[in-house]
């Protein structure tokens, strides 16, 4: 009994501080119109690539974009956006997002590290706190879209996002033909639906490869079943993004793919994805 009593003030302080952080986060994000999370049931399907390129596609249509890399351990948004040597910095207004290509505001743990290959050794509660602090202490300012790139699965990071951002506008599930199993897609979809987040649809990445010489289509990672899956889960197949060798080339050259190769096959699919998203929210706005 006496032990409980002596612990009470500390526990209360912890709850108060998390409650305050969550409130601060909501206040900080109150001038961001649409908040969208990007998740997948499995790793390596191109979630980061889709989040980063979708952000660039929306920005190139004139929208104000913020991008949160909520993948604390595997933070790679800055690399994909070619933000070499850039850092977050503090101002009197909080943590300032780092301006990325086309002016998108980027927040990522890798932008806080001296070296991008430094490992972050944090367990669940610390990762959740880091994400809440990012949301609460970053000077997000006014944005049309906040895109949140999550690590694979439905763990601490995803739970923190849905608990903190109560007015999330929706979720995009990214998957690839090799992992288009119903079970994997269902897990991600159930997480979204059970948390009362609007399911915007599925993006099938690495869908096919189109030969640039003869135009033949090859299903390198297995037959595309995106349409059937979307139908089965009563959602939309938002995009089929092909495998594109220029993506690796852009990474090697240290340039953002969408800007460097705007007419490449995958870039065109991402542009379409961005337009669908814009239409979705314009339709909603006029309802
Ligand atoms: N359509 C594509 N064509 C060719 N390469 C791609 C495509 N999409 C993504 N890639 C490449 O595949 C690799 C994995 O992509 P990415 O890191 O975006 O996946 P992820 O789902 O975010 O991974 P993680 O599970 O680590 O979070 C990267 O090297 C990326 O450049």
């Amino acid at each position: 009994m006496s032990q409980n009593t002596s612990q009470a003030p500390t526990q209360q302080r912890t709850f108060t501080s998390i409650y305050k952080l969550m409130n601060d986060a909501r206040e900080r994000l109150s001038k961001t119109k649409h908040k969208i999370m990007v998740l997948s049931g499995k790793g390596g399907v191109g979630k980061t690539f889709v989040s980063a390129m979708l952000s660039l596609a929306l920005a190139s249509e004139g929208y104000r974009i913020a991008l949160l890399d909520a993948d604390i351990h595997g933070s790679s948004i800055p690399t994909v956006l070619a933000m070499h040597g850039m850092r977050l910095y503090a101002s009197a207004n909080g943590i300032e997002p780092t301006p990325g290509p086309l002016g998108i505001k980027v927040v990522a743990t890798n932008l806080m590290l001296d070296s991008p290959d430094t490992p972050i050794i944090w367990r669940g509660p610390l990762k959740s706190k880091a994400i809440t602090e990012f949301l609460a202490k970053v000077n997000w300012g006014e944005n049309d879209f906040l895109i949140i790139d999550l690590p694979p699965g439905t763990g601490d990071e995803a739970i923190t996002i849905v608990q903190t951002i109560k007015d999330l506008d929706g979720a995009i599930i990214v998957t690839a033909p090799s992992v288009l199993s119903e079970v994997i897609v269902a897990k991600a979809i159930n997480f979204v639906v059970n948390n009362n987040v609007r399911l915007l649809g599925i993006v099938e990445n690495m869908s096919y490869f189109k030969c640039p010489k003869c135009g033949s289509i090859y299903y390198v990672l297995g037959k595309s079943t995106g349409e059937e899956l979307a139908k089965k889960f009563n959602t939309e197949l938002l995009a089929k993004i092909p495998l594109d060798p220029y993506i690796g080339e852009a990474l090697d050259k240290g340039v953002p793919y969408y800007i460097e190769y705007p007419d490449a096959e995958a870039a065109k699919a991402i542009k379409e994805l961005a337009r669908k998203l814009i239409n979705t929210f314009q339709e909603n706005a006029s309802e």
Side-chain angles (χ1 to χ4, degrees):
M1 178 69 189
S2 63
Q3 201 185 7
N4 282 348
T5 313
S6 66
Q7 279 177 358
T10 318
Q11 285 173 351
Q12 198 175 342
R13 266 204 307 277
T14 309
F15 282 126
T16 309
S17 92
I18 290 172
Y19 184 73
K20 183 173 181 325
L21 275 180
M22 287 173 121
N23 270 341
D24 289 351
R26 286 168 201 147
E27 176 62 31
R28 289 272 197 188
L29 290 171
S30 61
K31 293 195 184 89
T32 295
K33 288 189 197 157
H34 304 296
K35 302 156 191 106
I36 293 164
M37 65 177 182
V38 179
L39 70 162
S40 73
K42 213 167 187 291
V45 295
K47 211 171 353 66
T48 299
F49 170 74
V50 170
S51 305
M53 298 307 130
L54 174 62
S55 298
L56 289 179
L58 289 166
S60 67
E61 301 278 331
Y63 290 87
R64 298 163 301 173
I65 307 301
L67 173 58
L68 171 64
D69 185 350
D71 191 344
I72 301 287
H73 292 303
S75 170
S76 51
I77 288 275
T79 308
V80 177
L81 289 178
M83 296 171 68
H84 316 295
M86 298 178 93
R87 293 283 175 274
L88 293 168
Y89 66 94
S91 76
N93 295 322
I95 303 169
E96 295 297 334
T98 308
L102 305 181
I104 64 180
K105 301 173 184 170
V106 183
V107 173
T109 43
N110 255 19
L111 293 171
M112 294 174 10
L113 305 175
D114 286 336
S115 164
D117 51 15
T118 306
I120 292 192
I121 313 161
W122 291 348
R123 287 177 192 270
L126 268 184
K127 286 191 287 179
S128 297
K129 181 108 191 294
I131 290 172
T132 319
E133 295 230 8
F134 271 149
L135 295 172
K137 296 193 172 160
V138 165
N139 182 23
W140 294 103
E142 294 186 19
N143 306 291
D144 295 306
F145 290 94
L146 167 67
I147 306 292
I148 303 164
D149 176 35
L150 284 157
T154 52
D156 296 295
E157 296 87 342
I159 294 166
T160 304
I161 291 294
V162 296
Q163 285 179 344
T164 309
I165 311 179
K166 290 288 182 201
D167 60 343
L168 269 174
D169 289 83
I172 295 174
I173 311 278
V174 180
T175 190
S178 55
V179 291
L180 271 176
S181 91
E182 285 175 22
V183 177
I184 291 167
V185 177
K187 271 188 194 166
I189 290 181
N190 283 336
F191 174 82
V192 170
V193 173
N194 292 345
N195 282 287
N196 298 317
V197 177
R198 177 180 176 188
L199 178 62
L200 294 167
I202 298 173
V203 169
E204 184 186 287
N205 187 30
M206 308 178 181
S207 206
Y208 58 91
F209 174 70
K210 185 175 172 187
C211 173
K213 292 207 171 116
C214 68
S216 299
I217 303 279
Y218 298 92
Y219 294 99
V220 181
L221 297 181
K223 185 84 182 138
S224 160
T225 53
E227 278 97 356
E228 293 107 271
L229 268 171
K231 211 169 176 184
K232 181 169 171 58
F233 291 110
N234 200 20
T235 189
E236 191 181 350
L237 180 64
L238 294 168
K240 283 167 85 163
I241 303 175
L243 278 160
D244 189 341
Y246 286 122
I247 294 168
E249 208 167 296
L251 274 175
D252 290 345
K253 279 164 66 179
V255 293
Y257 163 80
Y258 188 82
I259 296 175
E260 190 74 4
Y261 302 103
D263 299 320
E265 283 297 309
K268 285 192 250 175
I270 288 158
K271 191 179 203 127
E272 272 309 301
L273 170 64
R275 294 213 167 130
K276 269 196 186 162
L277 214 57
I278 292 162
N279 284 341
T280 301
F281 289 107
Q282 276 175 350
E283 277 162 23
N284 280 354
S286 59
E287 268 171 9

